[in-house]
Amino acid sequence: MMRKICLLILPLSFILLTACGMNKDIPYQIKPFTFTDQNEQPFGSKNLEGKIWIADFVFTNCETVCPPMTASMTELRDAIRKEDLPVEFVSFSVDPTVDMPDKLKGYLGKFTKAEANWHMLTGYGQKEIETFALEEFHTLIQKPNSSNQVIHSTRFYLIDQNGKIVNQYGFQKSHFPEIITDIKKIAKH
């Protein structure tokens, strides 16, 4: 019981801490990267050049926020499709030693069968994703030694055609209108 309470308190504390500094350093440029997607293919910033994309951080063994985040990303993707906006979706695994491509593919398959513009990435070490998230997305990832759960951001990040993060949002459906409005604005540039 105490372990479950701690597992719930840790992510909630992290969410509150990350929400306090929202949008402070936006926009900022993401450095080039190449990782491995759920189809065991190299995928990275070169594939996203000239495209608008939305990113998040999840992991397949998550017992709390990742399933609702991924379900929400699926709904957001559907809403963006209805607006006929060309947007790519990228989910970075925060537990890369567990989340091999086949596991990511199975996880994504629980939420959608249409994965054409959604890339779930792995192919890096734990320290590498922690550094990448901190340096490129200005967010913390931490995998405690005492748990198989990973502390990470629950934000959706909007990245423009030039690889700049232009905004970040909560993953709840109430943020969809703002996300779609922002996509339309940057699509005009």
Side-chain angles (χ1 to χ4, degrees):
M1 176 74 166
M2 188 61 164
R3 182 172 182 262
K4 286 196 180 239
I5 291 171
C6 287
L7 286 174
L8 212 68
I9 290 173
L10 275 172
L12 290 176
S13 300
F14 186 75
I15 290 166
L16 289 174
L17 287 173
T18 57
C20 294
M22 269 190 332
N23 300 334
K24 189 170 137 184
D25 298 325
I26 293 177
Y28 45 92
Q29 187 74 39
I30 296 177
K31 292 179 186 156
F33 66 89
T34 301
F35 300 128
T36 303
D37 74 7
Q38 74 272 17
N39 297 309
E40 298 186 42
Q41 298 300 309
F43 187 88
S45 49
K46 286 276 187 207
N47 304 90
L48 296 164
E49 282 180 1
K51 298 177 182 178
I52 297 169
W53 52 292
I54 295 175
D56 70 349
F57 295 90
V58 296
F59 65 108
T60 61
N61 287 335
C62 182
E63 297 172 357
T64 56
V65 297
C66 299
M69 284 177 64
T70 307
S72 186
M73 185 75 94
T74 303
E75 289 180 40
L76 175 60
R77 190 167 160 241
D78 293 343
I80 289 170
R81 278 187 175 160
K82 285 180 185 167
E83 296 285 336
D84 199 29
L85 297 167
V87 176
E88 297 288 314
F89 294 82
V90 178
S91 294
F92 296 93
S93 170
V94 297
D95 196 7
T97 56
V98 173
D99 289 343
M100 297 290 110
D102 60 331
K103 192 156 187 189
L104 289 171
K105 190 169 186 71
Y107 176 80
L108 184 58
K110 294 176 185 175
F111 298 92
T112 183
K113 298 301 175 209
E115 63 175 64
N117 66 331
W118 195 338
H119 299 272
M120 300 200 81
L121 302 183
T122 190
Y124 37 76
Q126 188 65 42
K127 291 287 184 210
E128 187 177 357
I129 190 60
E130 290 174 8
T131 301
F132 178 78
L134 185 60
E135 291 178 358
E136 306 309 323
F137 287 85
H138 300 193
T139 189
L140 295 173
I141 293 174
Q142 183 182 24
K143 185 173 184 178
N145 293 332
S146 60
S147 173
N148 68 348
Q149 297 299 291
V150 183
I151 300 164
H152 63 90
S153 169
T154 60
R155 313 294 294 162
F156 286 173
Y157 299 85
L158 176 60
I159 299 94
D160 73 9
Q161 304 92 321
N162 301 310
K164 287 185 182 171
I165 297 175
V166 295
N167 210 343
Q168 57 182 308
Y169 316 85
F171 68 88
Q172 300 82 0
K173 196 171 186 173
S174 60
H175 294 278
F176 291 6
E178 181 185 4
I179 295 170
I180 291 170
T181 298
D182 288 351
I183 290 170
K184 288 177 178 177
K185 283 180 194 171
I186 63 175
K188 292 179 182 178
H189 294 106

